[in-house]
């Protein structure tokens, strides 16, 4: 544990409850030294008293790594907190990632960065992960939860962008726009109408009627399509759409089939040879969900045999970590065959890549990260119990907020409340999710020396996964 040293004058001045405790630059939320320090930040309060400045650590010690070209809105939010923010436009390969992640308290990624157990094992200081996207399959969520790392995402900020892309692709496939445009770029005039269709009156089959699927349903109906959908749970139909009880039935009645399911073991190769065989002759397949939802070899066979009239793919089993000439055979062995097929639109995972979506995601996930780091709020976490307490106000002197992540076993609250016994517990809230539970508590009548004792006692409890004390 680092030995207490006086806080700097600037911080002491800015905070009414500055204490003579500080931290080393290697501050860690998982070690007893981690809660020492100070934080110069104002919290909003629902009370008339001015907000209290919580001081979990020196903000300049807080290191955030942002990968994959995360939007400026997020960078601004994190910079405004005074964190040290390091930004990369691309993902990092595993070796570089392990090197970088050792040092940081929070990391922001999109869909390319694989935060596996192997990588997370090295992330000794990591408190939070922000997935600046919808999908969280790139993170080992369970490992993260078991090691006290909260994961946040943006569940619907890019849904509209994906739905609009799919609408564009439905028309582009029906009119063979990709091929006509490519021919013109190669100086070939090829005016044809054979197998080109209006979309009015055609049936769109949506697999997965969640945020994206249901948004798409509304757009497609407004253009005169009939919509059917298949989902593993019963869901309210929007407009005149109709839920269908089996995937095979949906496949057999749809002119266009579009996939909007998450990456799960059950959705791996959800569409393969037998499912394609169940589709209508000349139908079209669109996949903007995750790459391994479609068996691409089976798709290539169906395109070359003429069974399918075309396909649009935005996602692939293996995707390059950065822009450039990387969509080649060494990435996925079927690429040379796929790119030869007629009426196939291939896009580089851009479903959610619009200015609107990226800016909204930056705000949403950037804010969730700061609220967790500064206040302990886990609202919006995908692997943690969701909890929040109102911020402390400035007139609440001598208070400490305890954030205690622990194994979900009997007897924890009894033990913890014995540790709190000499103090008034003003608020306490606990929630579990699977094997992990999270307790937030605001404790009154706490002196500076109590903080250290409280921390040490909590640290030594057998159920502890991670602790932070904000004061
Ligand atoms: N291409 C892109 O840029 C892009 C952008 C955003 C999201 N996505 C992907 O799209 C997926 C869907 O996004 P969403 O926001 O609509 O998710 P969502 O969670 O709102 O909806 C998913 C729906 O799929 C259903 N589902 C799950 N398993 C199923 C199965 N086996 N068969 C049928 N339905 C099943 C769920 O019940 C749910 O209703 C995301 O998980 C993400 O992987 C891709
Ligand atoms: O922006 C990305 O990289 C991912 C987009 C999308 O697949 C998502 O999961 O939101």
């Amino acid at each position: 544990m680092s030995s207490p040293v006086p806080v700097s004058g600037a911080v002491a001045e800015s905070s009414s409850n500055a204490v003579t405790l500080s931290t080393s630059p290697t501050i860690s939320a998982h070690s007893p030294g981690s809660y020492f320090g100070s934080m110069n930040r104002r919290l909003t309060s629902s009370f008339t008293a001015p907000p209290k400045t919580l001081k979990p650590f020196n903000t300049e010690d807080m290191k955030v790594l942002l990968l994959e070209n995360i939007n400026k809105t997020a960078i601004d939010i994190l910079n405004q907190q005074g964190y040290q923010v390091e930004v990369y436009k691309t993902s990092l390969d595993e070796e570089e990632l392990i090197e970088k992640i050792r040092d940081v308290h929070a990391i922001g990624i999109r869909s390319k960065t694989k935060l596996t157990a192997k990588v997370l094992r090295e992330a000794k200081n990591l408190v939070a992960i922000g997935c600046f996207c919808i999908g969280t399959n790139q993170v080992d969520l369970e490992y993260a939860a078991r090691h006290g790392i909260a994961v946040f995402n943006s569940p619907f900020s890019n849904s509209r962008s994906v739905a609009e892309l799919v609408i564009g692709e439905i028309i582009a496939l029906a009119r063979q726009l990709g091929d006509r445009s490519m021919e013109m770029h190669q100086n070939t005039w090829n005016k044809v109408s054979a197998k080109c269709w209006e979309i009015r009156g055609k049936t769109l089959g949506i697999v997965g009627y969640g945020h994206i699927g249901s948004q798409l349903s509304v757009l497609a109906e407004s253009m005169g399509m009939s919509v059917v959908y298949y989902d593993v749970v019963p869901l309210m139909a929007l407009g005149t759409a109709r839920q269908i009880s089996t995937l095979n039935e949906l496949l057999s009645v749809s002119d266009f089939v579009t996939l909007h399911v998450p990456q799960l073991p059950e959705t791996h190769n959800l569409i393969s040879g037998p499912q394609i065989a169940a589709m209508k002759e000349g139908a079209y397949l669109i996949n903007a969900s995750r790459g391994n939802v479609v068996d691409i070899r089976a798709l290539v066979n169906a395109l070359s045999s003429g069974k399918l009239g075309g396909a649009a793919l935005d996602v692939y089993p293996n995707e390059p970590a950065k822009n450039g000439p990387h969509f080649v055979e060494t990435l996925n062995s079927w690429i040379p065959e796929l790119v030869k097929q007629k009426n196939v639109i291939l896009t580089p995972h851009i479903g959610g890549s619009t200015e609107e979506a990226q800016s909204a995601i930056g705000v949403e996930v950037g804010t969730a990260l700061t609220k967790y780091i500064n206040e302990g709020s886990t609202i919006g976490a995908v692997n943690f119990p969701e909890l929040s307490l109102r911020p402390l106000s400035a007139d609440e002197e001598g208070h400490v907020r305890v954030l205690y992540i622990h194994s979900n076993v009997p007897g924890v609250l009894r033990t913890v409340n014995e540790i709190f016994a000499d103090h008034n517990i003003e608020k306490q809230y606990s929630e579990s999710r699977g094997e992990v539970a999270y307790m937030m508590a605001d404790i009154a009548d706490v002196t500076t020396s109590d903080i250290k004792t409280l921390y040490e006692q909590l640290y030594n409890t057998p159920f502890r996964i991670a602790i932070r004390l904000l004061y």
Side-chain angles (χ1 to χ4, degrees), residues 131-323:
C131 295
F132 286 77
C133 54
I134 292 179
T136 51
N137 54 284
Q138 68 282 33
V139 180
D140 189 330
L141 296 177
E142 204 187 310
Y143 182 95
R146 278 193 282 108
H147 291 81
I149 303 164
V151 182
F152 299 87
N153 76 337
S154 173
F156 49 78
S157 293
N158 65 19
S159 310
R160 174 72 185 203
S161 301
V162 181
E164 288 189 11
L165 177 76
V166 173
I167 288 292
E169 290 176 338
I170 292 170
I171 298 176
L173 289 172
R175 302 293 295 273
Q176 302 178 359
L177 291 188
D179 289 359
R180 292 301 87 77
S181 174
M182 213 133 54
E183 288 156 4
M184 293 291 276
H185 280 276
Q186 289 154 4
N187 312 108
T188 300
W189 185 270
N190 186 20
K191 184 174 164 81
V192 289
S193 54
K195 296 194 175 165
C196 291
W197 314 97
E198 291 184 354
I199 65 164
R200 177 172 52 167
K202 304 297 184 298
T203 298
L204 174 65
I206 301 174
V207 182
Y209 202 66
H211 290 113
I212 298 171
S214 56
Q215 178 77 203
L216 179 58
S217 170
V218 174
L219 296 178
E221 277 201 344
S222 73
M223 297 197 310
M225 300 188 84
S226 311
V227 174
V228 292
Y229 61 93
Y230 168 72
D231 201 292
V232 283
V233 290
L235 289 166
M236 188 187 80
L238 298 181
T240 57
R242 190 164 54 87
Q243 184 155 12
I244 277 187
S245 55
T246 66
L247 176 60
N248 262 23
E249 191 190 342
L250 175 136
L251 296 171
S252 67
V253 298
S254 301
D255 300 297
F256 297 82
V257 172
T258 183
L259 308 173
H260 300 288
V261 293
Q263 177 171 314
L264 298 169
E266 309 87 74
T267 58
H268 186 86
N269 284 347
L270 185 70
I271 303 296
S272 186
Q275 291 73 33
I276 292 173
M279 288 173 71
K280 285 168 93 167
E281 294 296 313
Y284 305 89
L285 180 68
I286 299 170
N287 184 20
S289 61
R290 282 293 179 263
N292 59 20
V293 175
V294 173
D295 172 356
I296 299 195
R297 287 207 172 278
L299 173 65
V300 168
N301 290 340
L303 290 163
S304 43
S305 71
K307 162 75 187 177
L308 294 186
L313 301 178
D314 188 44
V315 287
Y316 310 87
N318 297 312
E319 297 180 359
K322 47 187 85 156
N323 290 346

